[in-house]
Amino acid sequence: MMQPLDKERKFRIAELVITIKLMSLVFFCIAIFIEIPKIFTQRTRILNMDLSMIQYQSLIAGIFLVVLFSFSLIIIRYYKRRYLSTTGEERKQTVFDIVEICLFIMLYSSLIVVSGLSASPYKFIYFFIMISATIQHGLKKGMVVSSVCAFILLAIDIIADPDKPNMSFQIDLILAGVFLMITWLVGYYRSVEAHYSERMANLAKLDDLTGLYSHGYFQINLSDQIKSAKRNGKNLSLMFVDIDSFKYFNDLYGHQEGDRVLKHIGAIIKNLIHEPNSAARYGGEEFTVLMYDAPEEVALNLAELLRSKIEEAFEDKYIEYGKLSVSIGVATYPKTAKSKDELIKYADDALYRAKSFHKNKVEYYQSILEEIKAEIDEDDIAIISSIKTLISIINAKDKYTYRHVERVVILCGLLADELGLSEYDKKILKYSAYLHDIGKINIPKDILVKKMRLTEEEWNLLKQHPADGVEIIAPVSSLEDTIPIILHHHERYGGGGYPAGLKGEEIPYLARVLTVVDSFDAMTSNRPYSIGKTYDEGIKELADCSGTQFDSDIAAAFTKVISQNREIFG
């Protein structure tokens, strides 16, 4: 497959070649305009034509202009289709090139024959086909064309005057040498230009350290692959690969050793990934793999194979650091993502999920909103699509809210298993966790990302977000059971919360579950105005606030979840 940068360069060369060929046809027609009427006027009696020179010229000029225009359209159309097409037809292209060169040589040779053979003033016209052939096909083929033209030129001199050496032959012998010299110079320049263009293209599209494609080339390639997948009805899966805790590794072993690790992982990826798939270094310790015509199952199998090979390659190699591993996120177009930007975002989301709670794991992007869409009434799908848009706006306004929601969804799933909730309650809790902050759409960005503590007025505005969230989802009847959870997830078990000041058993049970998880993630995360607590500090906070802010039984169960998954949460 022709790469995007190479395609652009070859297309520009084709433009130059077409221009040279069209110029040669213009000169050819001018010569015909001058020479052919002379032949006709000399044969007026034979042809029984009684036309003046001007009439002959007008007639011949008109005929050849029509032929030139038609031939020009054919050439331009062919080269446009040839260099813009993604399908390779090399054999047909080669045949066309040979036929085209032969036609041009025949045209030029016929012009020289009718304009005086060895005395023809148009021998220079061979330069056009020699130069265009050399630019288009390179030095070797250019020299072949040049040699053929030189041979024809000298043969015409010998045929025109075979009995004795003539001045024209001697002059044309020098001209033949000039043909070859000019062709060699143009061809040599073409070879040097191609060599350095290739080197510059490689610098632009290859990562110097790993030998994989660069970030910039990945973006170009991804756009082309999306178009191809859409045109051919194929799947396109994207894999994001990130080295776990690599900053700590660099601090421990130094950046030179870190570079060796990056190079080694790049080699593993390169050995595993083959056409039509492609791999790139996205940046830092992050890599991407594009998998063409790869549905979810195929992509996940390849991702798991890559993860295990990297794990095996570094097993027991860095004792002080521990296990060197990678986390991988996968998303697929068009199953989950509908555009290039969505594909990148969703693969990154899946990677974030893998790194946040598991590490050394492969995660596939799962959209909770798509799950909701599958279960709600058809009349409510448009509302869910609007909610998806609102969530995207919140994510753009406040990255913390987005990451916070992702973590809360996963933590609620773990806690739901520990509490033994029914499948329906698990589902409602997950939906509530995903939508619990949607009311923040009405909160100005400067409040959401404010680095100082909020004023009382700002705090009162922020406290409106549960009620605002309920108002947004209220029209969706299938989400009716999430309303009390979203509305009351900021209530306190001992009273004094908002918006209703409920306490104890008055607070819906699943709202109490969400309160514990939401509060724990908030206190252990870095916020614009404060540094998050450690997990140990967060667990202590849960214990200290049990019975006052949190339901004691739920807080104890969540503490158990955190303690049992120490290797996940760190």
Side-chain angles (χ1 to χ4, degrees):
M1 182 181 70
M2 189 183 296
Q3 306 298 351
L5 297 176
D6 190 42
K7 182 190 295 185
E8 173 70 14
R9 173 179 166 272
K10 289 190 175 183
F11 186 67
R12 296 304 173 195
I13 290 176
E15 288 183 330
L16 176 61
V17 170
I18 291 172
T19 301
I20 294 173
K21 290 176 180 177
L22 293 181
M23 286 174 60
S24 73
L25 290 175
V26 170
F27 278 107
F28 178 81
C29 286
I30 292 172
I32 290 296
F33 181 76
I34 296 171
E35 295 296 330
I36 295 298
K38 295 179 182 178
I39 299 174
F40 279 137
T41 52
Q42 292 171 2
R43 301 179 180 179
T44 300
R45 294 178 182 176
I46 298 174
L47 297 174
N48 198 24
M49 297 175 69
D50 189 16
L51 298 175
S52 66
M53 175 69 77
I54 297 298
Q55 289 173 321
Y56 276 120
Q57 287 179 319
S58 299
L59 176 64
I60 299 303
I63 294 172
F64 274 91
L65 281 174
V66 171
V67 173
L68 171 63
F69 181 73
S70 302
F71 194 44
S72 300
L73 287 179
I74 293 172
I75 291 177
I76 292 172
R77 185 175 180 181
Y78 170 76
Y79 277 103
K80 183 177 180 180
R81 188 181 66 178
R82 173 171 175 173
Y83 286 99
L84 293 181
S85 174
T86 56
T87 57
E89 298 179 343
E90 293 185 6
R91 187 173 180 180
K92 290 183 179 179
Q93 292 173 359
T94 301
V95 172
F96 179 89
D97 291 338
I98 292 173
V99 171
E100 182 190 47
I101 290 172
C102 290
L103 283 175
F104 272 101
I105 292 176
M106 288 172 59
L107 281 174
Y108 300 158
S109 300
S110 62
L111 174 63
I112 292 172
V113 169
V114 300
S115 61
L117 291 172
S118 59
S120 173
Y122 304 114
K123 297 173 184 177
F124 70 89
I125 203 168
Y126 281 127
F127 277 115
F128 287 105
I129 189 61
M130 292 186 303
I131 292 174
S132 64
T134 305
I135 292 174
Q136 186 175 4
H137 302 293
L139 177 60
K140 290 182 180 179
K141 293 181 180 179
M143 290 297 287
V144 170
V145 173
S146 180
S147 299
V148 170
C149 293
F151 175 80
I152 292 174
L153 191 66
L154 296 176
I156 289 173
D157 288 335
I158 294 174
I159 293 170
D161 198 353
D163 297 332
K164 60 180 180 179
N166 56 73
M167 198 66 176
S168 296
F169 181 86
Q170 297 175 17
I171 295 173
D172 289 344
L173 193 61
I174 297 173
L175 185 58
V178 173
F179 283 177
L180 296 174
M181 183 181 69
I182 295 296
T183 302
W184 184 86
L185 288 173
V186 173
Y188 180 75
Y189 174 79
R190 168 78 164 75
S191 301
V192 171
E193 183 273 336
H195 173 71
Y196 280 99
S197 292
E198 183 179 1
R199 286 189 61 184
M200 293 301 293
N202 285 337
L203 287 175
K205 71 182 182 181
L206 294 180
D207 176 64
D208 188 52
L209 179 64
T210 63
L212 300 175
Y213 288 125
S214 65
H215 176 94
Y217 181 79
F218 161 77
Q219 295 287 348
I220 296 172
N221 191 34
L222 177 57
S223 296
D224 283 357
Q225 295 280 34
I226 288 281
K227 291 176 185 176
S228 177
K230 183 178 181 180
R231 182 172 56 250
N232 299 317
K234 300 292 186 180
N235 290 295
L236 179 66
S237 291
L238 173 61
M239 184 192 307
F240 266 111
V241 183
D242 191 271
I243 305 174
D244 297 323
S245 305
F246 198 57
K247 182 180 184 302
Y248 173 63
F249 181 93
N250 280 330
D251 292 341
L252 192 61
Y253 293 98
H255 286 83
Q256 285 186 321
E257 187 63 26
D259 285 349
R260 281 189 279 271
V261 168
L262 290 170
K263 191 173 183 178
H264 192 176
I265 291 177
I268 294 172
I269 294 174
K270 191 182 295 185
N271 289 334
L272 187 63
I273 305 303
H274 305 290
E275 291 287 346
N277 303 331
S278 61
R281 185 181 177 195
Y282 194 74
E285 69 272 21
E286 199 166 19
F287 303 87
T288 61
V289 177
L290 270 176
M291 296 159 282
Y292 190 77
D293 196 16
E296 175 185 343
E297 298 78 12
V298 174
L300 287 174
N301 289 337
L302 182 59
E304 181 57 35
L305 178 60
L306 176 60
R307 185 205 62 77
S308 61
K309 282 189 173 295
I310 293 174
E311 183 181 27
E312 292 170 6
F314 294 99
E315 192 172 8
D316 300 327
K317 190 169 183 181
Y318 299 103
I319 306 300
E320 300 88 345
Y321 172 75
K323 183 188 293 185
L324 195 150
S325 61
V326 297
S327 296
I328 301 177
V330 182
T332 302
Y333 171 92
K335 180 180 178 181
T336 53
K338 306 304 179 186
S339 66
K340 172 186 171 182
D341 291 341
E342 280 193 358
L343 186 60
I344 292 175
K345 179 182 181 300
Y346 292 165
D348 190 48
D349 289 348
L351 172 64
Y352 175 79
R353 192 173 301 167
K355 290 185 72 67
S356 293
F357 297 102
H358 304 286
K359 294 185 179 178
N360 193 23
K361 187 175 177 65
V362 175
E363 284 281 348
Y364 187 79
Y365 176 77
Q366 300 290 342
S367 172
I368 296 175
L369 280 178
E370 293 302 320
E371 290 182 35
I372 297 174
K373 270 187 179 181
E375 297 185 7
I376 65 174
D377 297 333
E378 190 171 335
D379 294 339
D380 293 332
I381 289 179
I383 301 175
I384 292 298
S385 298
S386 299
I387 290 174
K388 184 177 181 180
T389 302
L390 293 178
I391 291 174
S392 299
I393 295 172
I394 295 172
N395 295 343
K397 287 168 66 175
D398 180 19
K399 295 298 183 185
Y400 163 77
T401 297
Y402 168 65
R403 294 305 192 192
H404 166 69
V405 168
E406 287 283 311
R407 292 189 297 268
V408 169
V409 168
I410 297 171
L411 288 170
C412 278
L414 296 173
L415 180 53
D417 290 336
E418 178 63 28
L419 293 171
L421 298 182
S422 67
E423 290 302 316
Y424 180 77
D425 283 345
K426 287 180 182 179
K427 181 177 70 174
I428 293 301
L429 178 61
K430 179 168 66 172
Y431 293 171
S432 302
Y434 189 74
L435 298 169
H436 77 280
D437 275 340
I438 193 173
K440 288 185 177 179
I441 187 66
N442 293 327
I443 309 298
K445 181 177 179 179
D446 57 345
I447 294 179
L448 291 175
V449 300
K450 188 174 181 179
K451 295 184 179 181
M452 297 180 291
R453 290 196 176 275
L454 301 179
T455 65
E456 184 177 354
E457 182 182 353
E458 291 168 339
W459 175 239
N460 288 332
L461 181 60
L462 186 62
K463 287 195 296 184
Q464 291 295 319
H465 81 269
D468 291 341
V470 167
E471 187 176 345
I472 291 170
I473 66 169
V476 186
S477 58
S478 303
L479 296 176
E480 182 180 0
D481 289 342
T482 67
I483 289 177
I485 305 170
I486 295 171
L487 182 62
H488 297 297
H489 74 277
H490 280 293
E491 303 287 359
R492 297 170 63 91
Y493 193 75
Y498 63 88
L502 303 180
K503 63 179 180 179
E505 300 295 323
E506 297 173 348
I507 306 170
Y509 182 73
L510 293 182
R512 282 179 267 155
V513 174
L514 181 55
T515 297
V516 171
V517 176
D518 182 44
S519 299
F520 180 82
D521 186 75
M523 71 177 74
T524 56
S525 300
N526 292 330
R527 309 296 292 271
Y529 53 82
S530 67
I531 297 176
K533 299 177 184 293
T534 66
Y535 271 33
D536 287 335
E537 291 170 341
I539 291 172
K540 183 177 183 304
E541 183 85 5
L542 289 179
D544 292 342
C545 296
S546 290
T548 55
Q549 183 176 353
F550 308 119
D551 183 313
S552 299
D553 293 337
I554 296 174
F558 187 67
T559 299
K560 184 179 178 181
V561 168
I562 299 296
S563 300
Q564 288 177 341
N565 294 276
R566 273 311 222 184
E567 74 284 356
I568 294 177
F569 299 120

